[in-house]
Coordinates of all heavy atoms in Angstrom, one line a residue:
M1 N 14.0 -2.7 8.0 CA 13.0 -2.1 7.1 C 12.8 -0.6 7.6 O 12.7 -0.4 8.8 CB 11.8 -2.9 7.2 CG 11.6 -4.0 6.3 SD 11.8 -3.6 4.6 CE 12.2 -5.1 4.0
R2 N 12.6 0.2 6.6 CA 12.3 1.6 7.0 C 10.8 1.7 7.4 O 10.0 1.2 6.7 CB 12.6 2.5 5.7 CG 14.1 2.6 5.6 CD 14.5 3.4 4.4 NE 14.1 4.8 4.5 CZ 14.2 5.7 3.6 NH1 14.7 5.4 2.4 NH2 13.8 7.0 3.9
G3 N 10.5 2.7 8.3 CA 9.1 2.8 8.7 C 8.5 3.9 7.6 O 9.2 4.4 6.8
L4 N 7.3 4.3 7.9 CA 6.6 5.2 7.2 C 5.9 6.3 8.1 O 5.1 5.8 9.0 CB 5.5 4.6 6.3 CG 4.7 5.5 5.4 CD1 5.6 6.2 4.4 CD2 3.5 4.7 4.7
T5 N 6.2 7.5 8.0 CA 5.5 8.5 8.7 C 4.7 9.3 7.8 O 5.4 9.9 6.8 CB 6.5 9.3 9.6 OG1 7.0 8.5 10.5 CG2 5.7 10.5 10.2
C6 N 3.4 9.4 8.0 CA 2.6 10.3 7.0 C 2.0 11.5 7.8 O 1.6 11.4 9.0 CB 1.4 9.5 6.5 SG 1.9 7.9 5.6
I7 N 2.1 12.6 7.2 CA 1.5 13.7 7.8 C 0.5 14.3 7.0 O 0.6 14.7 5.8 CB 2.6 14.9 8.0 CG1 3.7 14.4 9.0 CG2 2.1 16.2 8.6 CD1 4.9 15.3 9.1
L8 N -0.8 14.5 7.5 CA -1.9 15.1 6.9 C -2.1 16.5 7.3 O -2.2 16.8 8.5 CB -3.1 14.2 7.3 CG -4.4 14.8 6.5 CD1 -4.2 14.5 4.9 CD2 -5.6 13.9 6.9
L9 N -2.0 17.4 6.3 CA -2.0 18.8 6.7 C -3.4 19.5 6.6 O -3.6 20.6 7.1 CB -1.1 19.6 5.7 CG 0.4 19.2 5.9 CD1 1.2 19.7 4.8 CD2 1.0 19.6 7.3
T10 N -4.3 18.9 5.9 CA -5.7 19.4 5.7 C -6.8 18.5 6.0 O -6.6 17.3 6.2 CB -5.7 19.8 4.1 OG1 -5.8 18.6 3.4 CG2 -4.7 20.7 3.6
P11 N -8.0 19.1 6.3 CA -9.1 18.3 6.8 C -9.9 17.7 5.7 O -11.1 17.5 5.7 CB -10.0 19.4 7.5 CG -9.7 20.6 6.8 CD -8.3 20.6 6.3
D12 N -9.2 17.2 4.6 CA -9.8 16.6 3.4 C -9.9 15.1 3.6 O -9.0 14.4 3.8 CB -8.9 16.8 2.3 CG -9.5 16.2 0.9 OD1 -10.0 15.2 0.9 OD2 -9.3 17.0 -0.1
R13 N -11.2 14.8 3.7 CA -11.5 13.3 4.1 C -11.0 12.3 3.1 O -10.5 11.3 3.4 CB -13.1 13.1 4.3 CG -13.4 11.6 4.6 CD -14.4 11.6 5.7 NE -14.6 10.1 6.0 CZ -15.1 9.7 7.1 NH1 -15.6 10.6 8.0 NH2 -15.2 8.4 7.4
E14 N -11.1 12.7 1.8 CA -10.6 11.7 0.7 C -9.1 11.6 0.8 O -8.6 10.4 0.6 CB -11.1 12.3 -0.7 CG -12.4 12.2 -0.9 CD -12.9 12.7 -2.3 OE1 -12.0 13.2 -3.0 OE2 -14.1 12.5 -2.7
R15 N -8.4 12.8 1.1 CA -6.9 12.5 1.3 C -6.6 11.6 2.5 O -5.8 10.9 2.5 CB -6.2 13.9 1.5 CG -6.0 14.7 0.2 CD -5.3 16.0 0.6 NE -5.3 16.8 -0.6 CZ -4.1 17.1 -1.1 NH1 -3.1 17.0 -0.6 NH2 -4.3 18.0 -2.3
F16 N -7.4 11.8 3.5 CA -7.1 11.1 4.8 C -7.4 9.6 4.5 O -6.5 8.8 4.8 CB -8.2 11.6 5.9 CG -8.2 10.7 7.1 CD1 -7.0 10.7 7.9 CD2 -9.2 10.0 7.5 CE1 -6.9 9.9 9.1 CE2 -9.3 9.3 8.7 CZ -8.1 9.2 9.5
E17 N -8.4 9.3 3.8 CA -8.8 7.9 3.4 C -7.7 7.3 2.5 O -7.3 6.1 2.8 CB -10.1 7.8 2.9 CG -11.3 8.0 3.9 CD -12.7 8.0 3.3 OE1 -12.8 7.8 2.1 OE2 -13.6 8.1 4.1
G18 N -7.3 8.1 1.6 CA -6.2 7.7 0.6 C -4.9 7.4 1.4 O -4.2 6.4 1.1
L19 N -4.6 8.3 2.3 CA -3.4 8.1 3.2 C -3.4 6.9 4.0 O -2.5 6.2 4.2 CB -3.2 9.4 4.1 CG -1.8 9.7 4.6 CD1 -0.8 9.8 3.5 CD2 -1.9 10.9 5.5
V20 N -4.6 6.6 4.7 CA -4.8 5.4 5.4 C -4.6 4.2 4.6 O -3.9 3.3 5.0 CB -6.2 5.4 6.2 CG1 -6.5 4.1 6.8 CG2 -6.2 6.6 7.1
M21 N -5.1 4.2 3.3 CA -4.9 3.0 2.5 C -3.5 2.7 2.2 O -3.0 1.7 2.1 CB -5.7 3.2 1.1 CG -7.2 3.1 1.4 SD -7.9 1.6 2.1 CE -7.5 0.5 0.7
M22 N -2.7 3.9 1.9 CA -1.2 3.8 1.6 C -0.6 3.2 2.8 O 0.4 2.4 2.7 CB -0.7 5.1 1.2 CG -1.3 5.5 -0.2 SD -1.0 4.3 -1.6 CE -2.6 3.7 -1.8
A23 N -0.9 3.8 3.9 CA -0.3 3.2 5.2 C -0.7 1.8 5.5 O 0.3 1.0 5.9 CB -0.9 4.1 6.4
M24 N -1.9 1.4 5.1 CA -2.2 0.0 5.4 C -1.4 -0.9 4.5 O -1.0 -1.9 4.8 CB -3.7 -0.2 5.1 CG -4.6 0.4 6.2 SD -6.4 0.4 5.8 CE -6.6 -1.3 5.5
A25 N -1.1 -0.5 3.1 CA -0.3 -1.1 2.3 C 1.1 -1.4 2.8 O 1.7 -2.4 2.8 CB -0.3 -0.6 0.8
H26 N 1.6 -0.3 3.4 CA 3.0 -0.3 4.0 C 3.1 -1.3 5.1 O 3.9 -2.2 5.3 CB 3.5 1.1 4.4 CG 4.8 1.0 5.1 ND1 4.9 1.0 6.4 CD2 6.0 1.2 4.5 CE1 6.2 1.0 6.7 NE2 6.8 1.1 5.5
A27 N 2.0 -1.2 6.0 CA 2.0 -2.0 7.2 C 1.8 -3.5 6.8 O 2.4 -4.4 7.5 CB 0.9 -1.6 8.1
A28 N 1.0 -3.8 5.8 CA 0.8 -5.2 5.4 C 2.1 -5.9 4.8 O 2.1 -7.0 4.8 CB -0.3 -5.2 4.3
L29 N 3.0 -5.1 4.4 CA 4.2 -5.6 3.8 C 5.2 -6.1 4.8 O 6.3 -6.6 4.6 CB 5.0 -4.6 2.9 CG 4.2 -4.3 1.6 CD1 4.8 -3.1 0.9 CD2 4.3 -5.6 0.7
H30 N 4.9 -5.6 6.1 CA 5.9 -5.9 7.2 C 5.4 -6.6 8.3 O 4.1 -6.4 8.7 CB 6.5 -4.6 7.7 CG 7.1 -3.7 6.6 ND1 6.4 -2.7 5.9 CD2 8.4 -3.8 6.0 CE1 7.2 -2.3 5.0 NE2 8.4 -2.8 5.1
D31 N 6.1 -7.4 9.0 CA 5.7 -8.1 10.2 C 5.5 -6.9 11.3 O 6.3 -6.0 11.3 CB 6.7 -9.1 10.8 CG 6.6 -10.3 9.9 OD1 5.6 -10.6 9.2 OD2 7.7 -10.9 9.7
E32 N 4.6 -7.1 12.2 CA 4.4 -6.1 13.3 C 5.7 -5.9 14.1 O 6.4 -6.9 14.5 CB 3.3 -6.5 14.3 CG 2.9 -5.4 15.1 CD 1.5 -5.6 15.9 OE1 0.7 -6.4 15.4 OE2 1.4 -5.1 17.0
G33 N 6.1 -4.7 14.3 CA 7.3 -4.4 15.0 C 8.5 -4.3 14.1 O 9.6 -3.8 14.5
E34 N 8.5 -4.8 12.8 CA 9.6 -4.7 11.9 C 9.8 -3.3 11.4 O 10.9 -2.9 11.3 CB 9.4 -5.7 10.8 CG 10.4 -5.8 9.8 CD 10.1 -6.8 8.6 OE1 9.0 -7.0 8.3 OE2 11.1 -7.1 8.0
A35 N 8.7 -2.6 11.0 CA 8.8 -1.2 10.6 C 7.5 -0.6 10.9 O 6.4 -1.0 10.6 CB 8.9 -1.3 9.0
R36 N 7.6 0.5 11.6 CA 6.5 1.2 12.2 C 5.8 2.0 10.9 O 6.4 2.3 10.0 CB 6.7 2.2 13.3 CG 7.5 3.3 12.8 CD 7.9 4.3 14.0 NE 8.8 5.3 13.5 CZ 9.4 6.2 14.3 NH1 9.1 6.2 15.6 NH2 10.1 7.1 13.8
T37 N 4.4 2.2 11.2 CA 3.7 3.0 10.2 C 2.8 4.0 11.1 O 2.1 3.6 12.0 CB 2.7 2.1 9.4 OG1 3.5 1.1 8.8 CG2 2.1 3.0 8.4
R38 N 3.0 5.2 10.9 CA 2.4 6.3 11.6 C 1.7 7.3 10.7 O 2.1 7.7 9.7 CB 3.4 7.1 12.5 CG 4.3 6.4 13.3 CD 5.2 7.1 14.1 NE 6.1 8.0 13.4 CZ 6.9 9.0 14.0 NH1 6.9 9.2 15.3 NH2 7.7 9.7 13.3
I39 N 0.5 7.8 11.3 CA -0.2 8.9 10.6 C -0.4 10.0 11.6 O -1.0 9.8 12.6 CB -1.5 8.5 10.0 CG1 -1.4 7.4 8.9 CG2 -2.3 9.7 9.5 CD1 -2.6 6.8 8.4
F40 N 0.3 11.1 11.3 CA 0.1 12.3 12.1 C -0.9 13.3 11.5 O -0.7 13.7 10.3 CB 1.5 13.0 12.3 CG 1.4 14.3 13.1 CD1 1.2 14.4 14.4 CD2 1.5 15.5 12.5 CE1 1.1 15.5 15.2 CE2 1.6 16.7 13.1 CZ 1.3 16.8 14.5
C41 N -2.0 13.7 12.2 CA -2.9 14.7 11.7 C -2.5 16.0 12.3 O -2.7 16.2 13.6 CB -4.3 14.2 12.1 SG -4.9 12.8 11.0
H42 N -2.1 16.9 11.4 CA -1.7 18.3 11.8 C -3.0 19.0 12.3 O -4.2 18.6 11.9 CB -1.1 19.0 10.7 CG -0.6 20.3 11.0 ND1 0.2 20.6 12.2 CD2 -0.8 21.5 10.4 CE1 0.5 21.9 12.1 NE2 -0.2 22.5 11.1
A43 N -2.9 20.1 13.0 CA -4.0 20.9 13.6 C -5.4 20.8 12.8 O -6.4 20.4 13.2 CB -3.7 22.2 14.0
P44 N -5.4 21.3 11.5 CA -6.7 21.4 10.9 C -7.3 20.0 10.5 O -8.5 19.8 10.4 CB -6.3 22.1 9.5 CG -5.0 22.7 9.7 CD -4.3 21.9 10.8
A45 N -6.4 18.9 10.5 CA -6.9 17.6 10.1 C -7.3 16.8 11.4 O -8.0 15.7 11.1 CB -5.9 16.8 9.3
V46 N -7.1 17.3 12.6 CA -7.5 16.4 13.7 C -9.0 16.0 13.9 O -9.2 14.9 14.2 CB -7.0 17.2 15.0 CG1 -7.6 16.7 16.3 CG2 -5.5 17.3 15.1
P47 N -9.9 16.8 13.5 CA -11.3 16.3 13.5 C -11.6 15.1 12.7 O -12.5 14.4 13.0 CB -12.1 17.5 13.0 CG -11.2 18.8 13.3 CD -9.8 18.3 13.1
L48 N -10.7 14.8 11.7 CA -11.0 13.6 11.0 C -10.7 12.3 11.8 O -11.4 11.3 11.5 CB -10.0 13.5 9.8 CG -10.3 14.5 8.6 CD1 -9.1 14.6 7.7 CD2 -11.5 14.3 8.0
L49 N -10.0 12.5 12.9 CA -9.8 11.3 13.8 C -11.0 11.1 14.8 O -11.1 10.2 15.4 CB -8.5 11.6 14.6 CG -7.3 11.3 13.8 CD1 -6.0 11.7 14.6 CD2 -7.1 9.9 13.2
A50 N -12.0 12.1 14.7 CA -13.1 12.0 15.6 C -14.3 11.6 14.8 O -15.3 11.4 15.5 CB -13.4 13.4 16.3
L51 N -14.2 11.4 13.5 CA -15.3 10.9 12.7 C -15.4 9.4 12.8 O -14.4 8.7 12.9 CB -15.1 11.3 11.2 CG -15.1 12.8 11.0 CD1 -14.8 13.2 9.5 CD2 -16.4 13.5 11.4
P52 N -16.6 8.9 12.6 CA -16.8 7.4 12.5 C -15.8 6.9 11.4 O -16.0 7.3 10.3 CB -18.3 7.1 12.3 CG -18.9 8.3 12.6 CD -17.8 9.5 12.5
G53 N -15.0 5.9 11.7 CA -14.0 5.5 10.7 C -14.5 4.1 10.1 O -14.0 3.8 9.0
G54 N -15.4 3.5 10.7 CA -15.9 2.2 10.1 C -14.8 1.2 10.1 O -13.7 1.3 10.8
P55 N -14.9 0.2 9.2 CA -14.1 -0.9 9.1 C -12.7 -0.6 8.6 O -11.7 -1.2 9.1 CB -14.7 -1.9 8.2 CG -15.9 -1.2 7.7 CD -16.0 0.1 8.3
M56 N -12.4 0.5 7.9 CA -11.2 0.8 7.3 C -10.2 1.2 8.5 O -9.1 0.8 8.6 CB -11.2 2.0 6.3 CG -9.8 2.3 5.8 SD -9.9 3.5 4.5 CE -10.4 4.9 5.3
L57 N -10.7 2.1 9.5 CA -9.9 2.4 10.5 C -9.6 1.3 11.5 O -8.5 1.2 12.0 CB -10.4 3.6 11.3 CG -10.3 4.9 10.4 CD1 -10.8 6.1 11.3 CD2 -9.0 5.3 9.7
A58 N -10.6 0.4 11.7 CA -10.4 -0.7 12.6 C -9.3 -1.6 12.0 O -8.5 -2.1 12.7 CB -11.7 -1.5 12.7
E59 N -9.4 -1.9 10.6 CA -8.4 -2.6 10.0 C -6.9 -2.0 10.1 O -6.0 -2.8 10.3 CB -8.7 -2.9 8.5 CG -7.8 -3.8 7.9 CD -8.1 -4.2 6.4 OE1 -9.2 -3.8 5.9 OE2 -7.3 -4.9 5.7
A60 N -6.9 -0.7 9.9 CA -5.7 0.0 10.0 C -5.0 -0.3 11.4 O -3.9 -0.4 11.6 CB -5.8 1.5 9.8
R61 N -5.9 -0.1 12.5 CA -5.4 -0.3 13.8 C -5.0 -1.7 14.0 O -3.9 -2.0 14.7 CB -6.5 0.0 14.8 CG -6.9 1.5 14.8 CD -5.9 2.5 15.5 NE -5.7 2.0 17.0 CZ -4.5 1.8 17.5 NH1 -3.4 2.2 16.8 NH2 -4.5 1.4 18.7
S62 N -5.7 -2.6 13.5 CA -5.2 -4.1 13.6 C -3.9 -4.4 12.9 O -3.2 -5.3 13.3 CB -6.4 -5.0 13.1 OG -6.4 -5.0 11.7
L63 N -3.6 -3.6 11.9 CA -2.3 -3.8 11.2 C -1.2 -3.1 12.0 O 0.0 -3.1 11.6 CB -2.3 -3.2 9.8 CG -3.1 -4.0 8.9 CD1 -3.4 -3.3 7.5 CD2 -2.5 -5.4 8.5
G64 N -1.5 -2.4 13.1 CA -0.6 -1.7 13.9 C -0.3 -0.3 13.5 O 0.7 0.3 14.1
I65 N -1.1 0.2 12.8 CA -0.9 1.7 12.3 C -1.1 2.5 13.6 O -2.2 2.4 14.2 CB -1.8 2.1 11.1 CG1 -1.3 1.3 9.9 CG2 -1.7 3.5 10.9 CD1 -2.1 1.4 8.6
L66 N -0.2 3.5 13.9 CA -0.4 4.4 14.9 C -1.0 5.7 14.4 O -0.4 6.4 13.5 CB 0.9 4.7 15.5 CG 1.0 5.7 16.7 CD1 0.1 5.3 17.9 CD2 2.4 5.8 17.1
F67 N -2.1 6.2 15.0 CA -2.6 7.6 14.7 C -2.2 8.5 15.7 O -2.2 8.2 16.9 CB -4.2 7.4 14.7 CG -4.8 6.6 13.5 CD1 -5.0 5.3 13.6 CD2 -4.8 7.2 12.2 CE1 -5.5 4.6 12.6 CE2 -5.3 6.5 11.1 CZ -5.6 5.1 11.3
I68 N -1.8 9.6 15.3 CA -1.3 10.7 16.2 C -2.0 12.0 15.9 O -2.0 12.4 14.7 CB 0.3 10.9 16.0 CG1 1.0 9.6 16.2 CG2 0.8 11.9 17.0 CD1 2.5 9.6 15.8
A69 N -2.6 12.6 16.8 CA -3.2 13.9 16.7 C -2.4 15.0 17.2 O -1.7 14.9 18.3 CB -4.6 13.9 17.5
C70 N -2.4 16.2 16.5 CA -1.7 17.4 17.0 C -2.3 17.9 18.2 O -3.6 18.1 18.3 CB -1.7 18.3 15.8 SG -1.0 20.0 16.3
Q71 N -1.5 18.1 19.3 CA -2.0 18.6 20.6 C -2.7 20.0 20.3 O -3.8 20.2 20.9 CB -0.9 18.7 21.5 CG -1.3 19.1 22.9 CD -0.1 19.0 23.8 OE1 1.0 18.9 23.5 NE2 -0.5 19.2 25.1
T72 N -2.1 20.9 19.5 CA -2.7 22.1 19.3 C -4.1 22.0 18.6 O -5.0 22.7 19.0 CB -1.8 23.0 18.5 OG1 -0.5 23.2 19.2 CG2 -2.3 24.4 18.2
G73 N -4.1 21.2 17.6 CA -5.4 20.9 16.9 C -6.5 20.3 17.8 O -7.6 20.8 17.6
L74 N -6.1 19.5 18.7 CA -7.1 19.0 19.7 C -7.8 20.1 20.4 O -8.9 20.3 20.5 CB -6.4 18.1 20.6 CG -7.2 17.0 21.2 CD1 -7.7 16.1 20.3 CD2 -6.3 16.3 22.3
A75 N -6.9 21.1 20.9 CA -7.5 22.2 21.7 C -8.2 23.2 20.8 O -9.2 23.7 21.2 CB -6.2 22.9 22.4
E76 N -7.7 23.4 19.6 CA -8.4 24.4 18.6 C -9.8 23.9 18.4 O -10.6 24.7 18.0 CB -7.6 24.5 17.4 CG -6.3 25.3 17.5 CD -5.5 25.4 16.2 OE1 -5.9 24.8 15.2 OE2 -4.5 26.1 16.2
H77 N -10.0 22.6 18.2 CA -11.2 22.1 17.9 C -12.2 21.7 19.0 O -13.3 21.0 18.8 CB -11.1 21.0 16.9 CG -10.4 21.4 15.6 ND1 -11.2 22.0 14.6 CD2 -9.2 21.2 15.2 CE1 -10.3 22.3 13.6 NE2 -9.1 21.8 13.9
G78 N -11.7 21.9 20.3 CA -12.5 21.6 21.4 C -12.6 20.1 21.6 O -13.7 19.7 22.1
L79 N -11.7 19.2 21.1 CA -11.8 17.8 21.3 C -11.0 17.2 22.4 O -10.0 17.9 22.8 CB -11.3 17.1 19.9 CG -12.1 17.5 18.7 CD1 -11.5 17.0 17.5 CD2 -13.4 16.8 18.8
K80 N -11.4 16.1 22.9 CA -10.6 15.4 24.0 C -10.0 14.2 23.4 O -10.6 13.6 22.4 CB -11.5 15.1 25.2 CG -12.0 16.4 25.8 CD -13.0 16.1 26.9 CE -14.3 16.0 26.3 NZ -15.5 15.9 26.8
P81 N -9.0 13.5 23.9 CA -8.5 12.4 23.4 C -9.5 11.2 23.3 O -9.4 10.5 22.3 CB -7.4 11.9 24.4 CG -6.9 13.3 24.9 CD -8.1 14.2 25.1
E82 N -10.3 11.2 24.2 CA -11.5 10.1 24.1 C -12.4 10.3 23.0 O -13.3 9.4 22.6 CB -12.1 10.0 25.5 CG -12.8 11.2 26.0 CD -11.9 12.0 26.8 OE1 -10.7 11.8 27.0 OE2 -12.5 12.8 27.6
D83 N -12.4 11.4 22.2 CA -13.2 11.7 21.2 C -12.7 11.1 19.9 O -13.3 11.1 18.9 CB -13.4 13.2 20.9 CG -14.2 13.9 22.0 OD1 -15.0 13.3 22.8 OD2 -13.9 15.2 22.3
L84 N -11.5 10.7 19.9 CA -10.6 10.2 18.7 C -10.7 8.8 18.6 O -11.0 8.0 19.5 CB -9.3 10.8 18.7 CG -9.1 12.3 19.0 CD1 -7.7 12.7 19.2 CD2 -9.7 13.1 17.9
V85 N -10.3 8.3 17.4 CA -10.0 6.9 17.1 C -9.3 6.2 18.4 O -8.3 6.8 18.9 CB -9.2 6.7 15.9 CG1 -8.8 5.2 15.7 CG2 -10.0 7.2 14.6
A86 N -9.8 5.1 18.8 CA -9.1 4.4 19.9 C -7.7 4.3 19.8 O -7.3 3.8 18.6 CB -9.8 3.1 20.2
G87 N -6.9 4.5 20.8 CA -5.5 4.4 20.7 C -4.7 5.5 20.1 O -3.5 5.5 20.0
T88 N -5.5 6.6 19.7 CA -4.7 7.7 19.1 C -3.8 8.4 20.1 O -4.2 8.6 21.3 CB -5.8 8.8 18.6 OG1 -6.5 8.2 17.5 CG2 -5.0 10.0 18.0
Q89 N -2.6 8.6 19.8 CA -1.7 9.4 20.6 C -1.8 10.8 20.4 O -2.2 11.3 19.2 CB -0.2 8.9 20.4 CG 0.0 7.5 20.8 CD 1.5 7.0 20.7 OE1 2.4 7.8 20.3 NE2 1.7 5.9 21.1
I90 N -1.4 11.6 21.3 CA -1.4 13.1 21.2 C 0.1 13.5 21.2 O 0.8 13.1 22.1 CB -2.1 13.8 22.4 CG1 -3.5 13.1 22.6 CG2 -2.2 15.2 22.1 CD1 -4.5 13.1 21.4
S91 N 0.5 14.4 20.2 CA 1.8 14.8 20.1 C 1.9 16.1 19.3 O 0.8 16.7 19.0 CB 2.7 13.7 19.4 OG 4.1 14.1 19.6
G92 N 3.0 16.5 18.9 CA 3.3 17.7 18.1 C 4.2 17.5 17.0 O 5.0 16.5 17.1
P93 N 4.3 18.5 16.1 CA 5.4 18.3 15.0 C 6.8 18.2 15.4 O 7.5 17.4 14.8 CB 5.1 19.7 14.2 CG 3.9 20.2 14.7 CD 3.6 19.7 16.0
I94 N 7.1 18.9 16.4 CA 8.5 18.8 16.9 C 8.9 17.4 17.3 O 9.9 16.8 16.9 CB 8.8 19.8 18.0 CG1 8.8 21.2 17.5 CG2 10.2 19.5 18.7 CD1 8.8 22.3 18.6
A95 N 8.0 16.7 18.1 CA 8.2 15.4 18.4 C 8.2 14.4 17.3 O 9.0 13.5 17.3 CB 7.1 14.9 19.5
I96 N 7.3 14.6 16.3 CA 7.3 13.7 15.2 C 8.6 13.8 14.4 O 9.2 12.8 14.0 CB 6.2 14.1 14.2 CG1 4.8 13.9 14.8 CG2 6.2 13.4 12.9 CD1 4.4 12.5 15.1
F97 N 9.1 15.0 14.1 CA 10.3 15.2 13.4 C 11.6 14.7 14.3 O 12.6 14.1 13.7 CB 10.6 16.5 12.9 CG 9.7 16.9 11.7 CD1 8.7 17.9 11.9 CD2 9.8 16.3 10.5 CE1 7.8 18.1 10.8 CE2 9.1 16.6 9.5 CZ 8.1 17.5 9.6
S98 N 11.5 14.9 15.6 CA 12.7 14.5 16.4 C 12.8 12.9 16.4 O 13.7 12.4 16.7 CB 12.8 15.2 17.7 OG 11.5 14.6 18.4
D99 N 11.7 12.3 16.2 CA 11.6 10.8 16.3 C 11.5 10.2 14.9 O 11.2 9.0 14.8 CB 10.4 10.4 17.2 CG 10.4 8.9 17.4 OD1 11.5 8.3 17.7 OD2 9.3 8.3 17.4
L100 N 11.7 10.9 13.8 CA 11.6 10.5 12.4 C 12.5 9.4 12.2 O 12.2 8.4 11.5 CB 11.8 11.6 11.5 CG 11.3 11.4 10.1 CD1 9.8 11.0 10.0 CD2 11.6 12.6 9.2
G101 N 13.7 9.4 12.6 CA 14.7 8.3 12.4 C 14.9 8.3 10.8 O 15.0 9.3 10.1
D102 N 15.0 7.0 10.4 CA 15.1 6.7 8.9 C 13.8 6.5 8.2 O 13.7 5.9 7.1 CB 16.1 5.7 8.6 CG 15.7 4.3 9.0 OD1 14.7 4.3 9.8 OD2 16.3 3.3 8.6
D103 N 12.6 6.8 8.9 CA 11.3 6.6 8.2 C 11.3 7.3 6.8 O 11.8 8.5 6.8 CB 10.2 7.2 9.2 CG 9.8 6.3 10.3 OD1 10.6 5.3 10.5 OD2 8.8 6.6 11.0
R104 N 10.4 6.8 5.9 CA 10.1 7.6 4.8 C 9.0 8.6 5.3 O 8.3 8.2 6.2 CB 9.4 6.7 3.8 CG 10.4 5.7 3.2 CD 9.7 4.8 2.1 NE 10.7 4.0 1.5 CZ 11.1 2.8 1.8 NH1 10.6 2.2 3.0 NH2 12.0 2.2 1.1
L105 N 9.0 9.8 4.7 CA 8.1 10.8 5.1 C 7.2 11.1 3.9 O 7.7 11.6 2.9 CB 8.9 12.0 5.5 CG 8.0 13.3 6.1 CD1 7.1 12.9 7.3 CD2 8.9 14.4 6.3
V106 N 6.0 11.1 4.2 CA 4.9 11.4 3.2 C 4.0 12.7 3.8 O 3.5 12.5 4.9 CB 4.0 10.3 2.7 CG1 2.9 10.7 1.8 CG2 4.8 9.2 2.1
M107 N 3.9 13.7 3.2 CA 3.2 14.9 3.6 C 2.1 15.1 2.5 O 2.3 15.1 1.3 CB 4.0 16.1 3.8 CG 5.0 15.8 4.9 SD 6.1 17.3 5.1 CE 4.9 18.4 6.0
C108 N 0.9 15.3 2.9 CA -0.2 15.7 1.9 C -1.2 16.5 2.7 O -1.3 16.6 3.9 CB -0.9 14.5 1.3 SG -1.6 13.3 2.3

C-alpha cells in the first residue's frame, strides 16, 4: 500500500483540521505499519502543533499518524519540541522529500 505524506504550508487552523481528517481516513483504511501517514507542518504552520488539539489529534495519534514539525519553523516561533503534540518529530523539507518513496503527496 502507498503511504500518504501531507504538507501544510500555511497557519490556517481549518486547513489543518481538514488535513488531519483526510489523514485519519487514510490511516483507518490500513493496518498499522502497512502504509504510513505523515503530516509535515512547514515553518508558518508549526504553531498549529502547539495548540490544544483535543480528541481529534489524540485519535490521529492512536491511528499511527506521524506529525512532523519544520525545524526552522520551530526556531522562528520560539517553540521547543516539548511544546508540540506528543510524539511530534522535528525535520525539514529536504528530509521529507528524500524519504518520500512512493507516498502520495498532498500539499495545502
Side-chain angles (χ1 to χ4, degrees):
M1 275 301 157
R2 291 176 67 184
L4 177 67
T5 295
C6 304
I7 299 176
L8 184 64
L9 300 169
T10 64
D12 183 316
R13 179 139 186 161
E14 288 179 355
R15 280 184 189 235
F16 176 65
E17 290 175 355
L19 198 61
V20 171
M21 291 300 294
M22 295 301 108
M24 288 171 59
H26 178 268
L29 289 171
H30 305 93
D31 291 330
E32 192 169 334
E34 182 183 20
R36 69 179 175 185
T37 307
R38 308 184 297 172
I39 297 176
F40 175 73
C41 289
H42 183 57
V46 168
L48 292 170
L49 292 172
L51 298 174
M56 182 176 67
L57 292 187
E59 184 177 353
R61 294 286 301 135
S62 75
L63 288 170
I65 295 173
L66 176 61
F67 291 97
I68 307 166
C70 175
Q71 184 174 8
T72 302
L74 205 63
E76 285 177 357
H77 296 285
L79 295 169
K80 296 177 272 194
E82 56 268 19
D83 296 330
L84 306 178
V85 172
T88 298
Q89 292 185 1
I90 310 304
S91 191
I94 292 172
I96 294 296
F97 285 113
S98 69
D99 187 38
L100 193 59
D102 68 347
D103 283 8
R104 290 178 174 90
L105 178 64
V106 174
M107 298 178 74
C108 65

